[in-house]
Amino acid sequence: MQQFKAESKRLLEMMINSIYTQREIFLRELISNASDAIDKMYYKALTEEGLTFNKEDYFIKITADKDKRTLTISDTGIGMTPEELENNLGVIAKSGSLAFKKETEQKDGHNIIGQFGVGFYSAFMVADEVTVISKAWGANEAYRWHSEGAEGYTIEPASKETAGTDIILHIKANTEEDSYDEYLETYRLRAIVKKYSDFIRYPIKMEISGQRPKADAEGEFESYTEEQTVNSMVPIWRKNKSELKDEDYENFYFEKRYGFDKPLKHIHISADGAVVYNAILFIPENTPFDYYTKEFEKGLELYSNGVLIMDKCGDLLPDYFSFVKGMVDSEDLSLNISRELLQHDRQLKLIAKNIKNKIKSQLQSMLKDERDSYEKFYSAFGRQLKFGVYNDYGVNKDDLQDLLLFYSSKERKLVSLNEYVSRMPEDQKFIYYATGSSIERIDRLPQTELVSDKGYEILYLTEDIDEFAIKIIAKYKEKEFKSVSSGDLGIESDAEDQAADEQQDSKELFERMQQLLDGKVKSVKASKRLKSHPVCLSSEGELTIEMEKILNAMPN
Ligand code: ADP
Ligand code: MG
């Protein structure tokens, strides 16, 4: 018996003890290895003279035998020589092992595997015995690799007709806590294949049994067992955009359970620049019920060359676009990459940046050309964009400010900052805004009178976050924002002198009022902005009354 390398043994022990709860991914790993092995054959046929690649000869087959408790994954790929069996299965592959080692050192072995490619050894999560029978392409002999766990493995000659590999798992017996029977059930295996490996380029075949209506006798049924290809092979994201209809994207959205609504927009990206990837992204119509809660988890599905490696890759989306659903497939990502390394992956960062820009320009063109759709989107997710402006000290405001809408006193509907600024009269120096809990309430604010009288438009800020976002933007196209309740409105008027006179004439009255309101207001002054209302509150300095209210209400 040969010994595993120390590092491999450690990984194996972890697999055997199943510290990882998502055991079903072992099948994804074995199928992806089988697919890699066929890829190698394909490459050989492409590069070596006198070799042709007959598509029909290349496939993966999954067979379960309940009596023997075995599950076999066979491929017609390139196979392994005894040396390769020794080197590839006795030591963990270089790619995965390095990442793995770094992580184990940091976190003493718990929760380290994440959702990533853990490779061949993942078979030991469900099997107590693994046999590999392989015949390398062009060789005369086949070999059998066998292991019952961490103690070691054996390699001996075996017989096999054609080149390729059979991986035979002896499925563990059920324990009190865990049942392994499901990995021998056709329907379950088929579902796992569909979930993780639907887009593997080669057919994944299974014997499927069932009942079907008899062709010649109405009302009668017959049993059948036939070989079926379980995976759909060509993923929608590899298809040409021109071949696809809106409906195809909607079906995909629904099949993938990205949401139960009809998506407002899809974005199909086929990038082949600095980084090669395909992506299909969706902007949903409705806010998911948990969207504005802590439970909500952003992210896109991440595939490496057709193989799902992560359900929700959060690093692909900035928080302010967390509502976007969809998937990314890239050939440039390794299957065996840890969650931590992925965060620092240069390719992934490039993809994320690219995606962010695509989403931004999609939203911009929606705002421009499909106003109704955009407003629907905005009512669901506008708040998130405003948080995006405010968060991280405003580093993202340039990306987001053109996507914001606010209600306009003049237009009586939502307008963008650009629309506001482009129709400002020449003498108007500021972008005016008013805060309040509703449009009706702001309409009745005395503070809006003078500005409105001047013929200037006022943006109504009705959500808590609005004013914080505006403060961060500070200036739009060189125009500063100004609250209608700020001390100095920047409007020249005769009212100014008049107010000063009144302040002087009624000095005693103002002093008396101030005494009575002591501790409640800072000062009482004649106002230059009131027309039909007798009195209003205003603030001095940076914070408006509304912001003060919110800040005071916040827990410390
Ligand atoms: P990785 O796939 O990342 O290399 P694995 O642990 O999944 O790591 O597999 C280790 C190695 O074993 C593979 O790189 C490959 O050389 C070999 N191997 C595994 N399964 C097969 C197979 N079905 N056919 C040929 N080679 C295989
Ligand atoms: Mg692998």
Side-chain angles (χ1 to χ4, degrees), residues 233-381:
M233 293 197 276
V234 181
I236 170 173
W237 61 86
R238 291 238 179 93
K239 289 188 181 158
N240 209 316
K241 275 172 242 181
S242 59
E243 287 172 46
L244 296 163
K245 299 194 278 294
D246 282 354
E247 211 186 304
D248 295 318
Y249 292 105
E250 278 161 24
N251 283 339
F252 180 68
Y253 183 83
F254 197 72
E255 261 171 36
K256 282 281 181 182
R257 308 246 171 237
Y258 290 142
F260 297 100
D261 52 348
K262 209 169 120 174
L264 266 183
K265 260 270 155 302
H266 65 257
I267 307 170
H268 188 160
I269 311 170
S270 311
D272 49 10
V275 58
V276 180
Y277 74 94
N278 290 298
I280 297 187
L281 311 176
F282 293 96
I283 296 168
E285 174 167 4
N286 299 327
T287 333
F289 71 95
D290 62 347
Y291 187 64
Y292 289 108
T293 71
K294 279 202 187 78
E295 277 68 53
F296 182 81
E297 205 190 327
K298 66 169 180 170
L300 300 174
E301 282 181 311
L302 184 61
Y303 289 78
S304 159
N305 208 7
V307 181
L308 180 68
I309 56 174
M310 206 174 173
D311 272 334
K312 272 193 177 163
C313 180
D315 296 319
L316 283 167
L317 288 176
D319 281 343
Y320 51 85
F321 288 154
S322 60
F323 46 81
V324 173
K325 302 278 179 189
M327 53 71 51
V328 172
D329 185 14
S330 176
E331 298 181 9
D332 296 342
L333 294 169
S334 145
L335 247 188
N336 276 346
I337 185 169
S338 74
R339 188 186 285 267
E340 249 166 43
L341 285 186
L342 193 66
Q343 263 176 16
H344 306 290
D345 191 85
R346 212 178 65 86
Q347 301 293 336
L348 196 82
K349 283 200 169 135
L350 279 175
I351 296 175
K353 192 171 163 215
N354 214 297
I355 281 178
K356 180 198 83 178
N357 289 330
K358 296 271 184 191
I359 299 169
K360 190 176 96 184
S361 59
Q362 180 66 64
L363 290 174
Q364 273 167 348
S365 69
M366 242 168 108
L367 173 58
K368 199 162 139 271
D369 305 323
E370 295 163 83
R371 187 65 171 229
D372 284 351
S373 282
Y374 189 80
E375 288 190 14
K376 246 190 227 167
F377 154 76
Y378 196 77
S379 76
F381 302 109

Side-chain angles (χ1 to χ4, degrees), residues 29 32-33 36 119-120 335-336:
E29 297 296 321
S32 117
N33 285 348
D36 289 347
F120 172 76
L335 247 188
N336 276 346

Side-chain angles (χ1 to χ4, degrees), residues 434-479:
T435 48
S437 55
S438 71
I439 290 163
E440 297 70 37
R441 276 177 174 240
I442 300 177
D443 272 339
R444 291 200 302 268
L445 273 184
Q447 289 91 330
T448 60
E449 277 192 319
L450 186 65
V451 181
S452 289
D453 260 27
K454 271 295 257 187
Y456 297 161
E457 190 171 359
I458 302 170
L459 298 175
Y460 285 13
L461 311 190
T462 50
E463 279 191 274
D464 286 357
I465 183 66
D466 289 352
E467 195 173 12
F468 289 90
I470 287 289
K471 288 270 181 207
I472 289 278
I473 298 176
K475 249 188 199 173
Y476 182 81
K477 300 214 166 149
E478 303 299 306
K479 304 285 181 192

